[in-house]
Amino acid sequence: MNSQLQATQISKIWQRGMARRQFLKWGLGGVAAVTAVAAGSFALLRRSPRDEIAPPDWATGLSASEYHLFEHARAVLLPVEGTNLIDSSTVPVVQNVQQILDYLDAPTRKELGAGLSLFDNVVVFSHGCRFVDLEPGKARELFDRWGEGSVLQRTLTTVIKQLVYSGYWQEPATWPPTEFDGPVSEKWGLAYLGNAPLPQQPSLESGQEQA
Amino acid sequence: MNQVKLQPSGLQVHQASDVTESHLALEADVVVVGSGAGGAVSAYELARQGKRVIVLEAGPYVPSQAFTEDFTESLHTLYQDQGGQANSSGDLLVLQGACVGGSTVVNGCVCFRTPDFILEDWQRDFGLSELTAEELAPYFDEVEQNLSVHDNGEHEIARHGQVIRQGANKLGWSVKPLRRNIRQCGLTGHCLSGCKTERKQSMLVTYLPWAQAYGAKIYADTRVEKILTVDGEASGVEAVVTRQDGSVVATMTVKAPRVVLAAGAVQTPVLLQKSGLANRSGQVGKNFACHPSLLVAGRYPQPIHPWRGAMLGVHVDEFMHPDKGGFVLEDGGFGLVEMTMLAEPGTGKPFMDYMADARYLAGLVTLIHDHNVGAIEWDGERKAINYQLSDADFPSMKRAIKAAARLHLASGASEVYVPASDKRVIRSEADIDEQVDSLENQPQHLRMVSYHPQGTCHMGADPDTSVVKANGETHDVPGLYVADASLLPTSIIVNPQITVYALATRIARHMS
């Protein structure tokens, strides 16, 4: 299928989906259905300079386009200018996202992959470039607008945001500026209380004893 | 009878790493599926009666000392589907423990008895005439005593609870300390990651070691695949022992004339559906409710540090009765990762500013009395939680959000964040109706979490319309019992752990 034909087909599906407000099923299941109809390989709908950049060696659980998508989302979603927060480029955000995705079962992971691909590519119709090439200000506007959009748009933006946010804020390095204490029991030297004593049961038989 | 020997700490658990054979064939008087609230209590009660009890838990055994107090890591190690269990549309996270001790390991310790008006509904609408407040009171008394349930002391009401209480008092709303099952709370705020120093009186440090003291045997990493019957009566289970990656180490059969299902309101109906049992009524998996809850955050002028102190301190019960709204508000602490799931103050800088000011936030958990409109389905490969907030319940949800906003404002908050997918911030009473009334009951609009799945094998007197009798035995299969939150015919508004403990105790004591 050539690029133009793909574009037309995806655009039609997208428009139809937007009109109905839901596809075959809500959420990522619907995303999978749409991408299946679109014959899959539309990641190359519009080339990006980032396609030439190989992902790092550790990114074995992400496709190259997924890696670039999350790396761009990290920069877009986690600006620290004007705060004392830690620069997200110094935190393994995308590595953590990859780890979370590793926990997904295969069918869900496949559906999510389809959804991410759709998110990256469908922006071509509104902005003339893929998400990974969208200027940060425009990308933020896109997230905000989609947060008010259809079920599918809300699903994709929520999933991407949650993954990136978790990937950043789970790192202990990000905690001190917020005064978040993190784990405290060992730091405070709290004693282990062990198992609770057996209840006093009147029906305990004679001869039984508690060790 | 053997000596009763209680380990001072930890449990003796058979784990996948202990298995050296390809098939394990075991026998018992009772096999209990699941080691959470219902399973642990059943195991203890039955072992204490002198029965040979085997407990099979699909999740791993994680001793308290191994808890990390890191929520993200805990989701992956202690929760069902590594914390990713959700409804079909993905807008409702259904958080359940999946480890030895089940959800009792990762809950917030909150203890409520079943409200009397709920029991009256059950008597009237489901023929459960014997489940009266008077009948259940001794069971509640006993489990509360066993689990050190008490009203939070003043030191257990953290700063977020204190400000909320002040606001409720200002509004003239009924506000009370929560009751919790905990001894000498360490005030770490890490309840949802398990209580590292064994203060939460979860099943991990109470009924399971007690059951073991009476001879019960516990197998972790063991997922039951099928319930076995002979001549229509329960005769045991088939299971697989799996490694952490899901690969099978061994198969297992347990022969037992009594099978108690206590795998929780999602897994128990799945197991019955896989086994093709106990479903004459067609109700197995139906009737799912879950108290879809929201965490409504408010920003205060003074530091709150919502992660410091006991996670849950007080609750507003002013609106608990369905005639008054049918919802409960509980003050709730949280950490940074949880915060990212709460609000949508705007993408980029607004969000990072919101997070940078995390210490100024306090949270209110809303619990609503939802209708039992969902279903758990097994398609042969995957389970599905088919649940959307019903249009009948959406007004309750909006009333709860409005009340939470009003309470935050009365407590001194300058901003209240509606937990929706779009940016909704309330800064004054005048904003409340506008920001809440325009919410739509659409998938992915509200950021909901459920900690209380229930109702999927519900009790009732009529075998044509219910799955289980009041004594916990299924109508269709003698010897097959259910003893978890699947039993509950309607949602109960409040945190259900005490209800499950009490019902499981009663079921075990009535078992022939």
Side-chain angles (χ1 to χ4, degrees):
Chain A
M1 190 183 293
N2 66 39
S3 245
Q4 187 55 45
L5 188 56
Q6 283 181 9
T8 306
Q9 199 159 354
I10 293 167
S11 181
K12 273 185 191 168
I13 293 160
W14 184 251
Q15 295 299 325
R16 194 166 65 228
M18 292 308 97
R20 285 188 196 161
R21 294 185 65 79
Q22 66 179 63
F23 292 87
L24 303 178
K25 194 179 172 191
W26 291 319
L28 292 172
V31 175
V34 173
T35 45
V37 174
S41 60
F42 63 88
L44 299 179
L45 179 63
R46 181 66 57 94
R47 297 291 303 178
S48 162
R50 291 176 195 248
D51 294 336
E52 307 305 319
I53 304 169
D57 291 342
W58 54 258
T60 53
L62 299 171
S63 68
S65 57
E66 287 173 345
Y67 167 77
H68 292 305
L69 185 152
F70 282 116
E71 185 56 25
H72 191 52
R74 174 197 63 71
V76 165
L77 295 174
L78 302 169
V80 297
E81 296 79 19
T83 72
N84 61 346
L85 299 176
I86 303 300
D87 187 335
S88 67
S89 67
T90 66
V91 176
V93 176
V94 183
Q95 278 175 275
N96 291 338
V97 169
Q98 175 180 253
Q99 191 184 2
I100 295 168
L101 297 186
D102 278 349
Y103 290 118
L104 297 180
D105 60 63
T108 307
R109 179 67 183 86
K110 191 176 171 189
E111 289 170 2
L112 179 62
L116 295 172
S117 187
L118 180 67
F119 180 83
D120 191 14
N121 280 274
V122 80
V123 182
V124 170
F125 302 110
S126 55
H127 292 77
C129 66
R130 279 165 45 197
F131 168 77
V132 292
D133 295 323
L134 208 51
E135 179 269 315
K138 297 277 185 202
R140 289 177 195 126
E141 286 172 17
L142 180 82
F143 273 114
D144 278 339
R145 200 166 58 252
W146 280 28
E148 299 169 353
S150 68
V151 172
L152 184 57
Q153 289 171 318
R154 293 199 299 261
T155 303
L156 287 171
T157 52
T158 300
V159 167
I160 293 167
K161 281 183 168 183
Q162 288 301 316
L163 287 168
V164 171
Y165 293 161
S166 295
Y168 177 79
W169 290 103
Q170 73 184 72
E171 280 298 312
T174 65
W175 301 345
T178 67
E179 300 179 13
F180 179 58
D181 301 310
V184 291
S185 288
E186 286 181 358
K187 195 160 59 181
W188 294 350
L190 292 178
Y192 290 93
L193 297 191
N195 292 330
L198 275 164
Q200 297 303 307
Q201 297 288 356
S203 55
L204 274 177
E205 293 173 20
S206 61
Q208 293 179 332
E209 57 181 84
Q210 193 173 327
Chain B
M1 182 179 284
N2 294 331
Q3 275 196 339
V4 179
K5 288 189 176 179
L6 177 68
Q7 283 197 187
S9 178
L11 291 166
Q12 293 294 322
V13 178
H14 301 269
Q15 301 176 70
S17 55
D18 302 324
V19 174
T20 55
E21 302 160 80
S22 61
H23 181 73
L24 300 169
L26 308 173
E27 285 190 34
D29 296 319
V30 185
V31 58
V32 178
V33 182
S35 64
V41 170
S42 301
Y44 165 68
E45 289 291 338
L46 295 165
R48 197 172 63 82
Q49 292 171 19
K51 293 188 166 62
R52 294 173 302 152
V53 175
I54 288 177
V55 179
L56 304 180
E57 167 59 52
Y61 171 49
V62 184
S64 309
Q65 286 88 342
F67 294 160
T68 60
E69 299 185 333
D70 178 318
F71 184 59
T72 308
E73 202 172 323
S74 303
L75 283 174
H76 301 155
T77 54
L78 301 176
Y79 284 78
Q80 186 70 45
D81 299 350
Q82 287 82 35
Q85 182 172 260
N87 65 343
S88 297
S89 62
D91 67 351
L92 174 77
L93 206 53
V94 182
L95 291 178
Q96 288 183 288
C99 56
V100 172
S103 294
T104 72
V105 172
V106 292
N107 70 17
C109 309
V110 172
C111 296
F112 282 98
R113 294 187 179 195
T114 324
D116 288 354
F117 62 84
I118 295 290
L119 293 175
E120 287 160 13
D121 287 348
W122 293 0
Q123 292 156 30
R124 186 189 61 238
D125 298 336
F126 297 92
L128 297 168
S129 54
E130 54 200 280
L131 294 186
T132 63
E134 295 72 30
E135 162 70 11
L136 291 177
Y139 296 103
F140 287 133
D141 289 342
E142 188 175 327
V143 296
E144 286 174 352
Q145 184 177 349
N146 289 349
L147 296 173
S148 302
V149 175
H150 64 280
D151 284 350
N152 273 335
E154 194 56 30
H155 69 289
E156 292 169 294
I157 299 173
R159 203 170 300 162
H160 44 86
Q162 293 169 15
V163 296
I164 292 300
R165 184 172 56 187
Q166 284 169 9
N169 287 333
K170 200 185 287 184
L171 291 167
W173 292 355
S174 171
V175 58
K176 298 182 177 121
L178 284 162
R179 290 170 66 73
R180 295 190 304 148
N181 57 321
I182 196 158
R183 289 194 297 156
Q184 302 171 47
C185 180
L187 308 179
T188 67
H190 286 298
C191 292
L192 302 188
S193 300
C195 189
K196 188 172 178 62
T197 54
E198 301 159 327
R199 287 142 200 275
K200 179 193 297 183
Q201 298 299 281
S202 74
M203 298 301 96
L204 204 51
V205 297
T206 57
Y207 279 87
L208 286 174
W210 301 343
Q212 203 155 61
Y214 282 95
K217 298 190 184 325
I218 303 169
Y219 290 77
D221 310 318
T222 304
R223 188 177 69 241
V224 175
E225 296 285 4
K226 189 176 181 187
I227 301 155
L228 303 174
T229 58
V230 173
D231 297 332
E233 299 190 7
S235 64
V237 299
E238 285 179 357
V240 290
V241 183
T242 61
R243 298 184 187 88
Q244 212 164 6
D245 64 5
S247 59
V248 174
V249 176
T251 55
M252 177 189 284
T253 53
V254 182
K255 285 186 182 174
R258 296 283 178 275
V259 177
V260 177
L261 302 184
V266 176
Q267 304 302 331
T268 287
V270 166
L271 182 52
L272 284 173
Q273 288 171 3
K274 281 181 177 178
S275 307
L277 290 173
N279 200 16
R280 174 179 18 157
S281 64
Q283 287 297 304
V284 169
K286 302 285 197 305
N287 201 54
F288 176 86
C290 63
H291 296 159
S293 69
L294 301 169
L295 189 56
V296 182
R299 189 187 192 287
Y300 286 76
Q302 74 276 25
I304 301 289
H305 294 102
W307 44 82
R308 290 184 184 165
M311 201 183 86
L312 290 145
V314 300
H315 72 288
V316 172
D317 61 357
E318 178 80 18
F319 310 100
M320 184 190 286
H321 196 283
D323 293 343
K324 290 188 164 184
F327 63 88
V328 175
L329 303 176
E330 299 174 359
D331 82 290
F334 47 80
L336 296 179
V337 171
E338 298 96 298
M339 261 188 72
T340 66
M341 301 175 186
L342 304 183
E344 183 49 78
T347 303
K349 184 165 173 49
F351 178 80
M352 294 303 268
D353 286 344
Y354 156 84
M355 292 299 293
D357 287 342
R359 63 187 176 281
Y360 295 99
L361 294 179
L364 275 168
V365 179
T366 66
L367 293 177
I368 69 163
H369 180 32
D370 58 328
H371 289 78
N372 295 60
V373 296
I376 305 299
E377 290 172 10
W378 174 254
D379 68 4
E381 285 184 29
R382 284 203 288 178
K383 72 184 178 208
I385 302 174
N386 294 323
Y387 177 90
Q388 287 302 133
L389 186 66
S390 72
D391 287 339
D393 292 326
F394 195 56
S396 295
M397 188 63 98
K398 290 204 287 190
R399 281 195 294 271
I401 297 170
K402 286 183 179 184
R406 195 157 285 130
L407 182 49
H408 269 309
L409 293 173
S411 304
S414 55
E415 291 186 337
V416 180
Y417 303 97
V418 179
S421 63
D422 51 352
K423 181 179 174 179
R424 288 169 188 266
V425 182
I426 292 167
R427 295 188 177 82
S428 71
E429 284 265 351
D431 294 340
I432 294 176
D433 286 347
E434 183 192 341
Q435 292 296 321
V436 179
D437 287 341
S438 57
L439 287 168
E440 293 177 2
N441 188 20
Q442 291 283 334
Q444 293 288 349
H445 200 184
L446 289 173
R447 294 184 171 178
M448 297 181 288
V449 179
S450 163
Y451 301 95
H452 307 153
Q454 52 194 288
T456 48
C457 301
H458 73 83
M459 292 181 288
D462 183 351
D464 290 330
T465 58
S466 62
V467 181
V468 174
K469 304 173 201 171
N471 69 357
E473 191 173 33
T474 56
H475 287 297
D476 296 358
V477 184
L480 177 59
Y481 291 77
V482 175
D484 59 26
S486 310
L487 291 167
L488 312 184
T490 67
S491 78
I492 63 170
I493 298 186
V494 293
N495 310 54
Q497 65 166 333
I498 287 288
T499 298
V500 175
Y501 298 140
L503 288 174
T505 304
R506 184 176 183 276
I507 288 167
R509 299 229 177 123
H510 282 68
M511 200 178 288
S512 55

